[in-house]
Amino acid sequence: MGKYFGTDGFRGEANVDLTSDHAYKVGRFLGWYFGELRRREGYKDDGVFEYSWRGADEKKPRIVIGKDTRRSSYMIEYALIAGMVASGADAYTMHVTTTPSVAYITRTEEFDCGVMITASHNPFYDNGIKVLNRNGQKMDEETIGLIEDYLDGHLHVFGKDYKELPFAEKEGIGRAVDYIAGRNRYIGYLISLGMYSLRGKKIGLDCANGSSWSIAQSVFEALGARTYVINNEPDGTNINRNAGSTHIEGLQKFVCDNHLDCGFAYDGDADRCLAVDENGDVVDGDKIMYIYGRYMKERGKLLTNTVVTTVMSNYGLYKAFDEIDVDYVKTPVGDKNVYKYMSEHGCRIGGEQSGHIIFSKYATTGDGILTSLKLMQVVMDRKKPLSELAAPVKIYPQKLINVRVKDKEAAQNDEKLTQRAAEINEQLEKDGQGRVLVRASGTEPLIRVMVEAESMEMASSYAEELAGILKERGLTQDA
């Protein structure tokens, strides 16, 4: 992780950690850098145009931008656009839309890069900037490093030092282009993936007052479902507030009260999805990977016979996979790491317990609405309720405590904490009862202490002991 960009982009409190000045400079760099790449790769020494960039027919780079429903998203969007056009790029605005829609449009409409303004599941006062490459994947670390260098005033690239970047002039100045058509194309793409009519199905949707509010219902209704929607009235400050995948209890009650067949909850930018079955029980990312991984194996579609998980997946998932002879790997946390392994090894499905599920045949990032459609495909094809499909996964009790700390690196490497965590983990693994995981958040000043055990009492006891060590050592913000 860099100084500004973490595992999922540049994220922090709006106008405190992430200001409009930061956004303007990110826009300035992206507009200039991709224009420079076009100029350098597109012209021979004699000035003859010979551009090999996919779909390019001019020097001016094209960048597509989406945003979630936070109040500060407009401020950051306008600052990004100002920087991009000042550097000579054309900025195409999809307005309020989802992260996976930006990824899809970036790769299919031949943009130089894509930008999503969001802080995902964080509260409304946070915001962030995710940068995607022309293939719709998270931007490579080298380019992110150059952005950070420019923000700090010591950019060195193309064999030259830049304290400031040149401004575009005359006809070289870029323009802002309304591109809501891109969002509509994405909606059409999702509808095209619906293999079965959902007529007669009663489906609940929790849009978290976020990006999915303008997309999810349209997709499900186009496929024939009767939709029951909550948290789809964003006001700029209510995104994720007691709503969406981080507050699944609201959807659980809603599904039961309305006797629905199932429900789906998204986060602020709709790149993750959690489900609720007809009984009101949660079907998390682990169970989703099991359901669809098994479905793929049964149809001979699970290439490499492997599902890609992260270190946060539950021990119960792996036991269930063992029983049906499906292999699995564990990557570090983050859908970026999951996708990297998938693309390098030809895997078709992977994801996180939190609901980031990647179907590599259809998308380059987690896509909550796509995940919903894929689950419904299994329900319709197998003619079984969601509860029955998820039943083989017996989740081990898991206690997760998020501890707000002064210094993530110092806290994670504290000698007493690491020693005690290792002792507990050794004992749990020896008895086949679970495991311990202590890791730093990639986006917030948190240490996440997670313990799995045969009983919640045991998991809670160990997790609280480890969290207590952080406070005892004076490493927490309230110590």
Side-chain angles (χ1 to χ4, degrees):
M1 294 186 294
K3 178 178 178 182
Y4 302 100
F5 285 78
T7 56
D8 207 16
F10 187 158
R11 189 179 297 183
E13 186 173 346
N15 267 352
V16 177
D17 307 301
L18 170 58
T19 68
S20 55
D21 287 340
H22 287 129
Y24 174 73
K25 289 181 178 179
V26 171
R28 285 276 284 131
F29 176 84
L30 294 175
W32 172 82
Y33 179 70
F34 285 101
E36 194 67 15
L37 285 180
R38 281 177 171 260
R39 286 186 289 273
R40 288 172 178 269
E41 295 181 5
Y43 286 86
K44 293 181 178 179
D45 292 339
D46 60 2
V48 176
F49 187 79
E50 188 180 74
Y51 198 71
S52 60
W53 199 280
R54 185 181 64 182
D57 59 2
E58 59 179 31
K59 290 182 291 183
K60 200 180 296 296
R62 300 164 68 247
I63 301 173
V64 64
I65 305 171
K67 65 176 180 287
D68 70 16
T69 58
R70 295 162 209 273
R71 180 171 294 174
S72 60
S73 290
Y74 293 87
M75 171 188 74
I76 294 173
E77 177 188 42
Y78 298 149
L80 277 166
I81 292 171
M84 290 172 184
V85 301
S87 289
D90 287 343
Y92 289 70
T93 56
M94 289 175 64
H95 306 286
V96 173
T97 192
T98 65
T99 291
S101 73
V102 175
Y104 171 75
I105 291 300
T106 301
R107 68 181 173 87
T108 60
E109 299 295 319
E110 300 177 338
F111 283 93
D112 293 80
C113 71
V115 178
M116 180 65 186
I117 303 161
T118 182
S120 190
H121 58 280
N122 285 28
F124 85 92
Y125 48 78
D126 287 345
N127 216 324
I129 299 173
K130 296 182 181 182
V131 185
L132 307 172
N133 66 21
R134 59 179 173 169
N135 296 315
Q137 303 161 348
K138 300 290 177 67
M139 188 61 74
D140 62 274
E141 294 300 327
E142 181 180 357
T143 302
I144 293 298
L146 293 175
I147 298 174
E148 295 207 339
D149 288 344
Y150 175 60
L151 290 172
D152 284 337
H154 53 74
L155 174 64
H156 180 84
V157 66
F158 303 127
K160 183 178 177 181
D161 291 321
Y162 294 87
K163 287 188 177 179
E164 192 45 82
L165 298 176
F167 286 99
E169 299 178 355
K170 300 183 175 65
E171 67 275 6
I173 296 173
R175 59 192 177 127
V177 181
D178 185 291
Y179 204 59
I180 197 169
R183 188 176 69 191
N184 294 336
R185 288 193 181 101
Y186 170 72
I187 291 173
Y189 174 65
L190 288 178
I191 294 170
S192 75
L193 297 178
M195 295 181 62
Y196 293 89
S197 168
L198 302 180
R199 190 170 302 279
K201 291 294 181 182
K202 298 167 62 177
I203 298 175
L205 301 173
D206 184 343
C207 295
N209 293 310
S211 296
S212 64
W213 81 274
S214 61
I215 296 177
Q217 185 174 9
S218 299
V219 172
F220 276 91
E221 289 188 346
L223 293 171
R226 290 179 59 187
T227 58
Y228 297 73
V229 188
I230 57 175
N231 300 313
N232 63 331
E233 297 181 355
D235 64 9
T237 64
N238 62 359
I239 186 171
N240 299 316
R241 184 195 297 160
N242 300 318
S245 61
T246 52
H247 297 279
I248 193 70
E249 63 278 359
L251 182 61
Q252 289 178 274
K253 184 177 186 301
F254 186 71
V255 167
C256 292
D257 289 349
N258 291 277
H259 308 290
L260 307 184
D261 293 295
C262 60
F264 301 105
Y266 310 113
D267 63 339
D269 64 334
D271 64 351
R272 69 169 72 178
C273 166
L274 295 182
V276 172
D277 68 23
E278 73 281 3
N279 300 315
D281 294 326
V282 176
V283 178
D284 66 8
D286 284 347
K287 291 185 176 181
I288 292 171
M289 285 188 285
Y290 172 82
I291 292 169
Y292 206 81
R294 178 175 184 170
Y295 179 63
M296 293 178 75
K297 182 179 177 65
E298 290 171 348
R299 296 180 302 134
K301 303 290 188 181
L302 188 60
L303 303 185
T304 74
N305 194 47
T306 301
V307 177
V308 183
T309 73
T310 75
V311 293
M312 288 298 288
S313 281
N314 193 277
Y315 182 62
L317 172 65
Y318 302 126
K319 292 190 70 173
F321 275 147
D322 287 339
E323 291 174 3
I324 59 172
D325 194 29
V326 167
D327 297 330
Y328 46 84
V329 294
K330 304 176 186 179
T331 75
V333 171
D335 61 339
K336 180 177 182 177
N337 297 315
V338 172
Y339 184 75
K340 182 174 185 293
Y341 187 95
M342 293 175 69
S343 60
E344 289 176 351
H345 296 86
C347 301
R348 280 289 179 87
I349 182 171
E352 299 184 281
Q353 184 185 61
S354 61
H356 284 119
I357 311 298
I358 301 174
F359 300 89
S360 63
K361 182 178 178 179
Y362 307 102
T364 57
T365 185
D367 186 329
I369 302 173
L370 173 61
T371 299
S372 307
L373 296 176
K374 286 299 174 183
L375 268 183
M376 288 309 300
Q377 179 180 334
V378 186
V379 169
M380 301 305 291
D381 190 18
R382 293 298 185 249
K383 296 179 174 59
K384 295 180 179 179
L386 197 52
S387 61
E388 186 175 340
L389 294 170
V393 183
K394 307 299 182 185
I395 296 296
Y396 273 48
Q398 187 180 84
K399 180 66 176 180
L400 174 65
I401 300 179
N402 293 317
V403 185
R404 194 164 289 272
V405 295
K406 301 171 184 175
D407 184 322
K408 289 191 290 188
E409 184 175 355
Q412 187 173 24
N413 296 322
D414 180 75
E415 183 177 355
K416 184 173 181 180
L417 175 68
T418 55
Q419 179 179 345
R420 182 56 182 148
E423 291 171 355
I424 296 171
N425 189 65
E426 182 179 1
Q427 184 61 46
L428 288 173
E429 289 190 339
K430 179 181 177 182
D431 298 337
Q433 295 178 323
R435 65 189 178 116
V436 174
L437 180 65
V438 177
R439 69 174 188 90
S441 167
T443 58
E444 300 176 83
L446 302 173
I447 292 295
R448 305 194 192 280
V449 178
M450 189 275 287
V451 179
E452 284 176 357
E454 284 191 328
S455 71
M456 180 55 77
E457 182 181 7
M458 179 186 294
S460 297
S461 176
Y462 282 136
E464 289 165 5
E465 178 187 347
L466 294 173
I469 290 174
L470 287 169
K471 186 167 187 178
E472 169 195 320
R473 303 280 281 179
L475 297 166
T476 62
Q477 289 189 10
D478 58 355

